[in-house]
Amino acid sequence: MSASVRIGLVNPKSPSNVGAVMRAAGCYGAQAIFYTGIRYDRPARFHTDTKSVTLRIPLSATDDLTADLPPGMKIVCVELVEGATALPAFVHPDSALYVFGPEDSSLEQSLIDRADAVVYIPTHGCMNLAATVNVVLYDRLAKSAAASGSDQLIRQSRDA
């Protein structure tokens, strides 16, 4: 099984944050993004995906973020809950669905109970959705064999 990353967003409230999550997905190689709820759909007509990542990575509404996961894909909830693993100590699974809660609420306990791991970013206070996704995906990259860089990567990554 090859490594695979999916992002699950629970009832995101801000189209600008979903756009920034799309950009992070493109930067860090996520394969798909799913979201629940209706708050994103209402204002989604405002274009926030400045890199047109939706042309390469699907953004799909769903009622169940954990439905139809490929075999071996682990569910990793990112949430400020007691007993969670601090992100610096977390070992990322090869294939993972990272689930992020809404900024103005928490993940439901039933979803946390289904998770293979629950992690948190040890900050003073909570971060916004897009910042949290970026930090988690960067941590995954930094701890992987793909963490090396090159001048070619720099040239390819520049905004034109």
Side-chain angles (χ1 to χ4, degrees), residues 45-138:
R45 66 183 180 272
F46 301 106
H47 184 70
T48 59
D49 178 12
T50 61
K51 291 291 201 175
S52 298
V53 174
T54 52
L55 298 176
R56 298 184 319 274
I57 301 172
L59 172 64
S60 307
T62 184
D63 292 326
D64 182 358
L65 294 171
T66 63
D68 301 320
L69 293 179
M73 181 165 275
K74 304 296 184 186
I75 300 170
V76 179
C77 289
V78 182
E79 185 66 90
L80 290 170
V81 294
E82 293 179 25
T85 302
L87 187 60
F90 183 64
V91 177
H92 295 268
D94 286 338
S95 294
L97 166 68
Y98 294 95
V99 179
F100 300 86
E103 291 178 292
D104 55 354
S105 187
S106 296
L107 294 175
E108 292 184 13
Q109 187 63 47
S110 60
L111 179 57
I112 291 171
D113 290 343
R114 292 169 58 194
D116 296 286
V118 181
V119 300
Y120 74 100
I121 300 170
T123 59
H124 298 283
C126 59
M127 298 165 50
N128 79 7
L129 174 62
T132 303
V133 171
N134 273 280
V135 168
V136 169
L137 294 181
Y138 174 78

Side-chain angles (χ1 to χ4, degrees), residues 149-159:
S150 67
D151 286 345
Q152 180 181 355
L153 179 61
I154 292 169
R155 287 189 296 273
Q156 292 172 343
S157 297
R158 288 183 182 141
D159 282 338

